[in-house]
């Protein structure tokens, strides 16, 4: 990454260098164009000059060739002239022979010619002369218009056309004469086409004044043909030779190239012995113009190509620059990202380095932890074989014996099932939660361990890293805790919760008959209160031991709380009928137990609930409650007995529950009212007081009898509040009574009297003089008085001391010991209406009431008979020691208003009687 970054940086540097041509490409290209144009131009010039030079060379070459030929003519001519000069007179034959000898063998047809230079005036003389010499048809043919000197052909040899040549004349001009005079060669153009002669002056020794000339005649075109006829074939050139504006020669004899329409490559003016002729040379390039031969075009093309190439290069450079810019941007971006990545990598690597260092430190730590850990650490391979274990593991489970042997964890497990399960987990490499197992090996036995660990993939290998902790102590502790949680600490019996679970299990699991017993010790509270809690505890422990002895072998016994116990029996396991067992249980309870050297006896009440499993309709709680209800019934029926649960009891209990529930939410002012039943004097004539009787009209349950709800209110502690309400309203009624002597009898529950709050409240009601306690009588049922005797003595005495009358209600039903009447501050008794029935006869009821009355008399107690429904009963009682009468015969319980009306009515009746 770092290298890459450096490379990117280098690219960036180059990039600046690379960018400049792109920026200045325009003007560089301009310079480049100028240069190549200049070079092109230079080349063009050079090639032009070179070709010109070549042409010049060619022309001079051709010229020299022509000159050479002419030189030869000149030499020949001069030599002939010299010869002629030497031989003063030469005959025509000699002349002919001379010509033939000198000119023979030449490739060109030449003729040796002799001329006379004459004036027009000399023509005749000359003609005559030559005609005279035998040339009879000699005629001088002068040009018509010219005047001056003429050159006239006199002799010509050896060509056959002499005849024609003789006499031909051309006008000669001054330059000709000058040249001739200077002994220079002079070319003469004859009138015949292409006929030329090269002429020199011929000196005639004999007639020096006569102008004579000697020349060689030839066809110029033939001469040129001989020289340049093959020019095109040899050099590719063509040539035009023009003399006196006439074309004298053309190498393109077929006029193939139409040279006359073309501009000559070079034109060379030649002095042709005094006559100028021009030589026009046409080059190959001119003749067959070809792009390949046209240097200008080639150079132009090359220049253009170079320019185009340059342009392409420029475009390429621009394109590359553009691309380069893109790449550059890319490179910059990449460089930035690389730099960032580099930083990240560095950061990462620093982090990793730190992590590695930490890892190393941690590894060292963990290694030391592994070795020094007090917990057993171990490693298994994927087959569950122990591959490593720390000293703690070895000392806990292995010792030295297994150090070198192949050992799996399941070898250490004492429980075969656990070992099998573990082996399956190993086979499936299955993850697991905490495992607890009992370990045992040759070295260690019965060690409970807790195993945690997991399968991990380490260096392509699956291993198990685990940890074991010795939890033997914890297990024991837990077992103890569990036991404690399930058992009652005092009696070591099962506790309520465990027992309920047991009942629940029996009810739902195995089918069968079961019996649930609910046991309650009668009068246990008394033992506790009188002998103390230690005695109570001892009694409970003793009871538990007896029950264990009796049913422990086949039943489960539990203490539900206080003095309540429960037993679950499987009927199948019973060896005797259930009733016998129940009797035995009651008998075992009754066996006196010793405390501090004294024997104490208690009895028990047992509720029995049978059920058949599976019993899906009732839960364990309900079954136990049913047994409790049955036990309550047994208690109600006199205790020291058992009672088997029936649905009737259940209904009763349910009704009780309903009443109790309604009582909890009782709105007393709305739902309660007081009725007042008049109490009469012994003859039933005058009202002496009223008994306040509470009425409850419940919105849910309707009218509920006090005989039903008072005992329930007593149990659920509502009685205190209710009693206060009754007292308060009775006092209000008392306040309305016209006669101050009339008393109000109020039924009071012993619980009210035992309640300090009630007593204080009651005292407070009588603190002012508005009410006098002597106007109120307190009725306590006989049974209540007897059972709560001790605790009632003090409050009753207090009330009695204040002036309240104390009456024993329902007298005769409570089996009270008459001797106790002395102990209690009682002012009177109210004989229960059960004893009133049948007293009008002479049978047992009569005797019984007489006995009661006699007894009351002996104790000096006021006797009130209640429940008088017939006149006869009233009459009978009037004869006995019975001071007060109460019953429907005289009056039913009345509302306050009715009672007041009754009083009013009675007062007016008494008044009438008195008047009459
Ligand atoms: P009790 O105190 O013995 O009250 C007398 C009961 O006998 C009353 O029933 C009354 O209506 C009834 N009675 C009176 N004369 C006759 C008669 O000639 N024939 C018949 N068959 N019955 C007669 P009640 O009012 O239903 O009261 C029942 C019991 O409820 C009372 O018996 C008393 O123990 C208790 N009770 C009533 N009111 C109160 C109260 O305010 N406080 C407490 N603690 N108990 C009360
Ligand atoms: Mg009463
Ligand atoms: Mg009564």
């Amino acid at each position: 990454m770092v290298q890459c970054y450096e490379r990117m940086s280098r690219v960036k540097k180059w990039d600046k260098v690379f960018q400049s041509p792109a920026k200045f490409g325009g003007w560089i290209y301009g310079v480049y164009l100028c240069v190549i144009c200049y070079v092109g131009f230079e080349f063009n010039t050079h090639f032009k000059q070179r070709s010109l030079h070549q042409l010049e060379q060619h022309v001079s070459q051709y010229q020299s060739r022509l000159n050479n030929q002419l030189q030869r003519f000149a030499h020949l001519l001069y030599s002939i002239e010299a010869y002629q000069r030497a031989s003063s007179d030469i005959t025509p034959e000699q002349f002919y022979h001379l010509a033939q000898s000198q000119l023979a063998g030449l490739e060109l047809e030449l003729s040796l010619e002799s001329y006379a230079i004459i004036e027009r005036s000399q023509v005749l003389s000359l003609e005559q002369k030559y005609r005279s010499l035998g040339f009879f048809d000699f005629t001088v043919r002068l040009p018509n218009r010219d005047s001056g000197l003429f050159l006239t052909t006199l002799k010509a040899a050896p060509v056959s056309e002499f005849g024609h040549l003789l006499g031909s004349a051309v006008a000669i001009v001054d330059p000709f004469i000058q040249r001739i005079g200077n002994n220079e060669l002079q070319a003469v153009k004859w009138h015949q086409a292409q006929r030329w002669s090269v002429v020199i002056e011929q000196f005639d020794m004999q007639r020096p004044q006569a102008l004579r000339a000697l020349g060689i005649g030839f066809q110029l075109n033939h001469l040129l043909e001989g020289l340049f006829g093959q020019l095109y074939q040899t050099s590719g050139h063509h040539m035009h030779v023009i003399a006196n504006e006439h074309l004298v020669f053309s190498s393109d004899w077929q006029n193939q190239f139409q040279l006359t329409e073309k501009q000559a490559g070079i034109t060379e003016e030649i002095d042709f012995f005094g006559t100028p002729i021009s030589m026009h040379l046409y080059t190959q390039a001119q003749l067959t113009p070809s792009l390949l031969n046209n240097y200008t075009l080639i150079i132009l093309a090359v220049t253009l190509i170079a320019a185009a190439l340059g342009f392409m290069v420029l475009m390429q450079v621009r394109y590359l620059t553009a691309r380069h810019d893109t790449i550059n941007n890319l490179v910059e971006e990449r460089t930035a990202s690389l730099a960032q990545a580099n930083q990240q990598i560095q950061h990462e690597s620093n982090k990793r380095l730190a992590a590695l260092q930490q890892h190393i430190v941690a590894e060292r730590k963990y290694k030391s932890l592994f070795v020094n850990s007090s917990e057993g650490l171990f490693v298994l391979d994927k087959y569950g074989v122990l591959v490593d274990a720390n000293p703690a593991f070895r000392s806990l489970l292995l010792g030295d014996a297994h150090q070198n042997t192949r050992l799996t964890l399941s070898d250490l497990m004492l429980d075969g099932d656990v070992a099998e399960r573990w082996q399956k987990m190993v086979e499936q490499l299955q993850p697991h939660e905490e495992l607890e197992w009992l370990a045992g090996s040759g070295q260690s036995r019965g060690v409970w361990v807790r195993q945690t660990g997991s399968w991990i993939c380490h260096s392509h290998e699956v291993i198990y890293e685990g940890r074991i902790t010795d939890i033997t102590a914890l297990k024991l502790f837990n077992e103890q805790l569990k036991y404690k949680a399930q058992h009652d600490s005092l009696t070591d019996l099962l506790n309520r919760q465990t027992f309920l679970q047991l009942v629940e299990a029996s009810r739902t699991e195995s089918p069968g008959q079961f019996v649930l017993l609910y046991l309650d010790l009668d009068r246990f509270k008394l033992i506790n209160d009188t002998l103390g809690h230690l005695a109570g505890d001892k009694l409970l422990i003793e009871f538990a031991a007896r029950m264990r002895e009796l049913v422990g072998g086949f039943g489960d016994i539990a203490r539900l709380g206080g003095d309540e116990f429960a037993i679950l029996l499987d009927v199948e396991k019973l060896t005797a009928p259930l009733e016998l067992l129940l009797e035995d249980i009651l008998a075992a309870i009754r066996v006196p137990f010793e405390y501090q050297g004294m024997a104490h006896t208690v009895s028990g009440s047992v509720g029995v609930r049978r059920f058949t499993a599976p019993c899906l309709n009732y839960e364990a709680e309900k079954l136990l409650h049913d047994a409790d209800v049955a036990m309550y019934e047994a208690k109600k029926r006199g205790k020291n007995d058992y009672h088997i649960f029936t649905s009737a009891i259940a209904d009763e209990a349910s009704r009780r529950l309903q009443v109790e529930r309604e009582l909890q939410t009782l709105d007393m002012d709305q739902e309660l009212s007081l009725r007042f039943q008049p109490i009469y004097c012994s003859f039933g004539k005058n009202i002496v007081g009223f008994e306040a009787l509470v009425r409850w009209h419940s919105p849910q349950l309707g009218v509920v009898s006090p005989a039903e709800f008072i005992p329930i209110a007593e149990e659920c502690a509502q009685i205190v509040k209710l009693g206060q309400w009754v007292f308060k309203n009775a006092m209000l009624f008392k306040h309305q009574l016209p006669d101050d002597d009339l008393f109000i009898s109020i039924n009071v529950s012993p619980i009210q009297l035992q309640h300090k709050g009630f007593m204080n409240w009651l005292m407070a009601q009588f603190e002012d003089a508005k009410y006098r306690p002597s106007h109120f009588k307190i009725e306590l049922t006989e049974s209540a008085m007897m059972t709560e005797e001790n605790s009632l003595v003090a409050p009753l005495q207090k009330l009695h001391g204040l002036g309240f009358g104390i009456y024993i209600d329902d007298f005769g039903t409570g089996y009270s010991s008459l001797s106790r009447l002395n102990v209690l501050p009682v002012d009177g008794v109210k004989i229960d209406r059960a004893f009133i029935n049948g007293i009008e006869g002479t049978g047992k009821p009569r005797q019984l009431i007489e006995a009661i009355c006699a007894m009351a008399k002996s104790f000096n107690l006021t006797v009130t008979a209640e429940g008088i429904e017939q006149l006869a009963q009233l009459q009978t009682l009037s004869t006995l020691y019975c001071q007060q009468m109460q019953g429907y015969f005289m009056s039913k319980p009345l509302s306050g208003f009715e009672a007041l009306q009754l009083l009013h009515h009675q007062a007016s009746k008494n008044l009438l009687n008195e008047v009459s």
Side-chain angles (χ1 to χ4, degrees):
M1 198 59 147
V2 177
Q3 281 174 355
C4 191
Y5 174 65
E6 282 171 2
R7 206 163 59 230
M8 295 307 280
S9 304
R10 255 182 278 143
V11 168
K12 212 174 165 186
K13 277 180 206 163
W14 274 107
D15 178 50
K16 283 178 187 166
V17 181
F18 192 64
Q19 255 183 354
S20 49
K23 284 183 181 173
F24 303 108
W27 65 262
I28 283 177
Y29 182 64
V31 170
Y32 170 75
L33 265 186
C34 290
V35 168
I36 58 163
C37 284
Y38 174 73
V39 171
F41 176 74
E42 281 298 314
F43 266 103
N44 192 35
T45 314
H46 169 74
F47 279 110
K48 268 188 176 169
Q49 279 178 355
R50 204 182 73 164
S51 55
L52 189 66
H53 183 63
Q54 279 176 347
L55 276 175
E56 282 172 352
Q57 277 183 340
H58 285 298
V59 165
S60 62
Q61 199 183 343
Y62 302 144
Q63 193 182 351
S64 72
R65 206 188 288 177
L66 178 64
N67 284 343
N68 286 343
Q69 189 65 30
L70 293 176
Q71 283 302 317
R72 282 174 66 192
F73 287 178
H75 286 300
L76 187 63
L77 201 57
Y78 280 121
S79 60
I80 292 170
E81 198 272 331
Y83 178 78
Q84 274 203 336
R85 193 181 286 216
S87 52
S88 58
D89 202 11
I90 191 162
T91 65
E93 285 79 19
Q94 285 174 329
F95 185 81
Y96 178 77
H97 286 296
L98 181 66
Q100 210 170 24
S101 65
Q102 290 300 317
L103 301 179
L106 291 171
E107 65 270 23
L108 186 67
E109 260 185 36
L110 295 175
S111 64
L112 186 63
E113 295 166 356
S114 174
Y115 316 101
I117 296 171
I118 59 166
E119 292 178 353
R120 194 170 281 272
S121 57
Q122 293 171 316
V123 172
L124 283 173
S125 61
L126 192 64
E127 282 176 346
Q128 283 170 356
K129 182 187 173 185
Y130 271 84
R131 279 173 188 164
S132 64
L133 286 173
F135 299 100
F136 59 87
D137 58 347
F138 182 81
T139 310
V140 176
R141 294 183 292 275
L142 290 181
N144 294 331
R145 285 170 298 167
D146 295 328
S147 60
L149 291 173
F150 298 96
L151 188 72
T152 307
T153 312
L154 298 177
K155 292 177 200 165
V159 286
S160 59
E161 46 186 336
F162 295 135
H164 300 291
L165 289 174
L166 295 179
S168 297
V170 287
I172 51 174
V173 288
D174 284 348
F176 179 85
I177 295 162
Q178 273 179 2
R179 287 180 67 99
I180 286 286
N182 293 340
N183 205 20
E184 286 178 29
L185 283 171
Q186 177 68 51
V188 174
K189 167 82 174 77
W190 300 97
H191 294 298
Q192 292 92 331
Q194 302 296 335
R195 178 164 168 75
W196 285 75
S197 293
V198 181
V199 178
I200 56 168
E201 187 183 14
Q202 187 179 17
F203 185 73
D204 190 353
M205 297 288 280
Q206 293 163 354
R207 289 177 300 273
Q209 71 279 1
L211 280 174
R212 302 279 294 272
L214 189 69
I216 294 174
F218 59 90
Q219 287 288 114
L220 183 58
N221 57 334
H222 290 174
L223 173 71
L224 293 171
E225 184 72 34
L227 288 174
F228 305 117
Q230 296 300 315
L231 192 65
Y232 184 70
Q233 283 75 11
T234 53
S235 64
H237 295 154
H238 270 302
M239 188 186 281
H240 268 188
V241 180
I242 294 169
N244 297 333
E245 296 176 355
H246 291 289
L247 181 68
V248 290
F249 173 72
S250 173
S251 60
D252 181 21
W253 57 274
Q254 289 177 321
N255 199 20
Q256 191 181 349
F257 295 102
Q258 296 177 337
L259 297 177
T260 47
E261 292 169 14
K262 286 194 167 90
Q263 179 76 34
I266 189 164
T267 303
E268 187 70 23
E269 294 293 332
I270 303 166
D271 180 29
F272 186 59
F273 302 120
T275 303
I277 61 169
S278 55
M279 189 182 277
H280 296 258
L281 192 66
Y282 299 89
T283 60
Q284 178 80 32
Q286 288 174 304
L287 298 173
T288 50
S290 158
L291 288 179
L292 289 171
N293 292 332
N294 192 332
Y295 286 108
T296 308
L297 261 180
I298 290 171
I299 288 166
L300 190 67
V302 168
T303 308
L304 282 175
I305 288 167
L309 281 174
F311 185 72
M312 278 166 68
V313 168
L314 177 69
M315 287 298 107
Q316 190 67 18
V317 166
R318 286 206 169 159
Y319 169 71
L320 285 175
T321 308
R323 269 197 69 177
H324 179 258
D325 283 348
T326 316
I327 290 168
N328 198 28
N329 288 341
L330 213 67
V331 165
E332 271 178 13
E333 278 172 23
R334 291 277 163 86
T335 308
S337 73
L338 275 174
Q340 205 180 346
N342 198 26
Q343 270 184 351
Q344 273 181 358
I345 287 169
Q346 207 141 14
H347 183 65
E348 279 294 314
S349 79
N350 287 345
K351 259 169 64 178
R352 282 195 189 158
L353 189 68
L356 192 69
Q357 282 167 349
Q358 277 181 356
H359 184 73
I360 290 167
V361 172
E363 202 163 293
R364 273 192 209 134
K365 250 193 243 171
Y366 288 131
K367 196 163 186 182
S368 121
L369 271 177
F370 181 77
V371 174
N372 300 322
S373 171
S374 60
E375 288 184 325
L377 304 175
F378 63 98
V379 179
L380 306 177
D381 66 10
K382 63 177 175 181
Y383 304 107
V385 176
L386 193 68
V387 290
D388 198 6
N390 74 340
F393 183 93
R394 290 181 183 286
S395 71
L396 186 64
L397 296 179
L398 301 179
D400 298 331
H402 287 290
Q403 254 174 8
N404 296 320
T405 53
R406 189 177 183 278
L407 185 75
T408 63
L409 212 57
S410 47
D411 295 336
L412 300 170
M413 294 173 174
L414 272 185
D415 189 336
D417 290 345
V418 175
E420 201 177 316
R421 245 181 297 148
W422 169 246
Q423 210 47 47
K424 270 186 190 161
M425 282 181 185
V426 171
E427 280 162 21
Q428 294 165 4
L429 301 177
Q430 191 183 331
H432 63 84
E433 302 289 319
E434 283 186 349
L435 296 176
E436 287 179 5
W437 45 276
L438 187 60
S441 69
Q443 296 297 310
S444 58
R445 282 235 157 250
V447 179
W448 271 100
V449 290
R450 178 179 293 143
Q451 177 194 340
T452 53
S454 55
W455 294 99
I456 54 171
C457 190
H458 193 271
S459 309
H460 308 293
E461 213 181 327
V462 176
I463 59 167
Y464 178 89
E465 282 184 359
R467 188 177 67 168
I468 54 158
T469 317
D470 183 357
I471 54 160
T472 313
L474 190 72
K475 269 273 175 194
L476 277 174
F477 181 67
N478 280 347
E479 287 296 325
Q480 282 171 359
L481 276 186
K482 195 176 167 190
Y483 185 84
K484 276 188 181 165
Q486 291 178 341
H487 290 79
D488 171 49
S489 57
L490 182 68
T491 59
D492 217 16
L493 295 173
L494 294 174
N495 62 17
R496 182 187 182 92
Q497 202 182 347
T498 316
F499 184 75
L500 278 173
Q501 286 169 359
L502 215 65
V503 176
E504 188 67 19
S506 307
R507 158 184 102 80
T508 51
E509 285 168 11
S510 50
Q513 295 281 329
F514 292 91
V515 176
L516 190 59
L517 305 182
Y518 200 108
L519 298 91
D520 187 278
L521 296 176
D522 305 325
R523 289 166 33 93
F524 174 74
K525 193 171 180 305
L526 193 69
I527 299 276
N528 236 358
D529 291 347
T530 52
L531 300 178
H533 285 278
L534 273 177
D537 289 351
K538 196 162 181 282
L539 172 59
L540 293 172
I541 293 166
E542 179 72 30
F543 171 81
R546 288 178 197 175
M547 289 304 111
R548 217 178 268 129
E549 195 180 331
L550 204 63
V551 295
F554 50 88
D556 297 295
I557 314 162
R559 181 183 174 211
L560 304 176
D563 61 340
E564 291 174 343
F565 294 82
I567 299 172
L568 179 67
L569 298 168
D570 186 346
V571 175
E572 267 188 22
K573 292 178 184 167
L574 291 179
T575 48
L578 178 65
E579 288 72 17
L580 282 181
L581 178 69
L582 290 168
E583 290 296 344
D584 287 348
I585 289 171
L586 291 172
I589 298 169
R590 282 195 302 270
V591 173
F593 78 100
E594 280 207 13
Y595 182 70
Q596 293 179 341
M598 297 277 286
H600 300 273
T601 310
V602 288
S603 61
S605 302
V606 181
V608 182
R609 174 65 160 106
R610 290 170 177 275
F611 66 92
T612 307
C615 168
L616 301 174
N617 297 336
Y618 304 105
E619 290 177 355
E621 277 279 7
K622 167 76 174 123
L623 293 170
L624 195 64
H625 177 73
D626 290 349
D628 184 17
V629 168
M631 185 276 292
Y632 186 80
E633 192 60 29
K635 266 202 192 300
K636 243 172 66 177
R637 294 182 184 215
K639 304 177 180 175
N640 185 28
D641 201 357
Y642 64 85
H643 191 85
I644 295 172
F645 174 84
T646 58
S647 56
I649 310 173
D651 292 344
E652 199 180 303
S654 141
R655 168 74 182 179
R656 269 179 72 87
L657 207 68
Q658 266 184 316
V659 171
E660 192 177 324
R661 206 176 297 136
E662 290 303 314
L663 277 175
Q664 297 296 341
T665 55
L666 175 70
D667 180 355
M668 291 191 283
D669 288 329
Q670 290 296 319
E671 298 175 34
L672 294 181
S673 61
L674 280 185
R675 293 266 151 175
F676 302 97
Q677 188 174 28
I679 300 171
Y680 290 82
C681 67
S682 59
F683 299 107
K685 287 177 183 167
N686 294 321
I687 296 171
V688 290
F690 289 91
E691 181 178 6
L693 294 161
V694 71
R695 295 288 177 264
W696 179 27
H697 191 276
S698 159
Q700 300 296 329
L701 305 170
V703 175
V704 186
S705 159
E708 184 183 4
F709 74 81
I710 290 293
I712 299 170
E714 282 174 344
E715 278 179 24
C716 66
Q718 286 287 81
I719 192 69
V720 175
K721 275 196 315 193
L722 196 144
Q724 282 176 350
W725 186 90
V726 169
F727 232 103
K728 211 164 65 184
N729 285 280
M731 285 161 79
L732 286 174
F733 178 70
K734 166 67 185 147
H735 189 61
Q736 293 171 13
L737 291 179
D739 191 349
D740 200 30
D741 291 336
L742 292 170
F743 64 85
I744 303 289
S745 226
I746 299 173
N747 294 286
V748 174
S749 162
I751 293 168
Q752 286 172 262
L753 299 180
Q754 286 162 352
H755 197 273
K756 270 190 185 167
F758 179 82
M759 289 299 286
N760 292 337
W761 175 84
L762 192 60
M763 301 294 128
Q765 304 302 309
F766 289 90
E767 266 173 7
D768 56 8
K770 194 175 172 186
Y771 300 108
R772 274 186 287 159
S774 56
H775 291 154
F776 293 89
K777 298 184 192 303
I778 287 171
E779 293 186 16
L780 270 170
T781 58
E782 188 191 15
S783 52
M785 216 165 208
M786 293 302 119
T787 48
E788 313 290 335
E789 193 184 293
N790 294 334
S791 56
L792 289 178
V793 172
L796 282 177
Q797 278 177 345
K798 197 169 188 180
L799 292 175
H800 194 255
L802 282 171
F804 286 100
I806 310 293
Y807 278 71
I808 300 174
D809 202 355
D810 304 338
F811 189 78
T813 57
Y815 310 106
S816 56
S817 66
L818 294 173
S819 58
R820 298 299 296 167
L821 288 175
N822 269 337
V823 181
L824 294 166
V826 179
D827 296 304
V829 293
K830 289 187 80 172
I831 301 167
D832 191 72
R833 69 170 185 271
F835 294 99
I836 304 300
N837 270 336
I839 56 166
E840 60 273 14
T842 52
K844 264 193 178 176
R846 168 81 186 239
Q847 289 166 5
L848 195 58
I849 199 87
E850 280 175 357
I852 292 169
C853 288
M855 184 272 299
K857 190 180 178 185
S858 65
F859 281 104
N860 199 24
L861 296 172
T862 306
V863 176
T864 309
E866 58 181 351
I868 300 166
E869 292 177 348
Q870 296 164 20
L871 178 64
Q873 290 167 346
L874 178 69
Q875 285 169 343
T876 308
L877 285 166
S878 302
T879 60
L880 296 173
Y881 180 78
C882 179
Q883 293 84 1
Q884 293 169 13
M885 314 288 183
Q886 187 183 351
Y888 290 174
F889 178 71
M890 286 78 79
S891 171
K892 284 197 169 183
L894 305 170
S895 66
F897 178 72
E898 288 170 339
L900 289 173
Q901 270 194 330
L902 182 67
L903 280 176
H904 183 70
H905 181 70
Q906 185 187 282
S908 44
K909 204 172 134 188
N910 287 345
L911 198 66
L912 278 175
N913 286 341
E914 276 174 28
V915 171
S916 61

